[in-house]
């Protein structure tokens, strides 16, 4: 559940054309992971692993909601909406989304994301690690449908797979 009390808005990302006229709006995946993984480490030590995972899901929900509001066109029918989402995730180099299964009537999906930002290439850790992505996907679907969603990662590079696989369904 995304509370409305979160302060984040898209404008908080700043004006990158003015702010980075020479370096532009891209960075390396290693730098992205360095920030995320050190956040996760520090928060886990302070708050415990379970709480930290919940917080990453929660942050992902806010991010997914704002991504949907600012980047995607929610007036499109579902199949076109997913096609647009897929294209944006490629354009922004987030990952390669595929819909493996779709039950359009009850909004249940199995999605895969390959070459994703968060875990592709990681050593096998024996557990899924893409909590932020779980929230991100739920946030997008919630914003599009108006319903709460639960997204669970079932396969991950960190469990020895070569793609992330997510079960997505309304709560
Ligand atoms: Zn993963």
């Amino acid at each position: 559940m995304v509370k409305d009390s979160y302060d984040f808005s898209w404008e908080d990302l700043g004006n990158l054309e003015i702010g980075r006229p020479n370096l532009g709006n891209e960075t390396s995946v290693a730098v992205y992971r360095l920030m995320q993984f050190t956040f996760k480490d520090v928060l886990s030590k302070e708050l415990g692993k379970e709480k930290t995972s919940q917080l990453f899901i929660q942050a992902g929900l806010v991010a997914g909601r704002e991504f949907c509001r600012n980047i995607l066109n929610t007036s499109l029918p579902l199949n076109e909406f997913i096609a647009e989402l897929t294209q944006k995730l490629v354009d922004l180099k987030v990952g390669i989304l595929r819909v493996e299964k779709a039950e359009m009537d009850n909004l249940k999906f199995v999605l895969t994301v390959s070459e994703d930002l968060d875990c592709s290439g990681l050593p096998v850790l024996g557990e899924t690690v893409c909590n932020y992505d779980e929230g991100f996907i739920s946030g997008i679907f919630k914003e599009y449908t108006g319903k709460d969603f639960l997204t669970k990662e079932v396969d991950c590079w960190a469990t020895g797979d070569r793609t992330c696989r997510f079960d997505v369904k309304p709560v």
Side-chain angles (χ1 to χ4, degrees), residues 116 119 128-130 153 155-158 163-164 166:
D116 81 292
C119 76
T128 61
V129 297
C130 300
E153 189 182 30
D155 294 313
C156 182
W157 262 86
T163 188
C164 296
F166 299 93

Side-chain angles (χ1 to χ4, degrees), residues 4 10 20 30 34 36 42-43 58 62 76-77 87 99 104 112 120 143:
D4 286 330
W10 204 254
R20 288 170 58 100
L34 181 67
Q36 185 185 140
V42 171
L43 289 172
Q58 191 67 33
V62 179
L76 294 173
Q87 188 57 49
V99 179
M104 290 299 205
T112 62
S120 48
E143 186 63 21

Side-chain angles (χ1 to χ4, degrees), residues 58-75:
Q58 191 67 33
L61 275 164
V62 179
R65 179 186 72 186
E66 295 303 315
F67 185 84
C68 190
R69 283 181 183 172
N70 290 280
I71 301 289
L72 301 174
N73 178 2
T74 54
S75 66

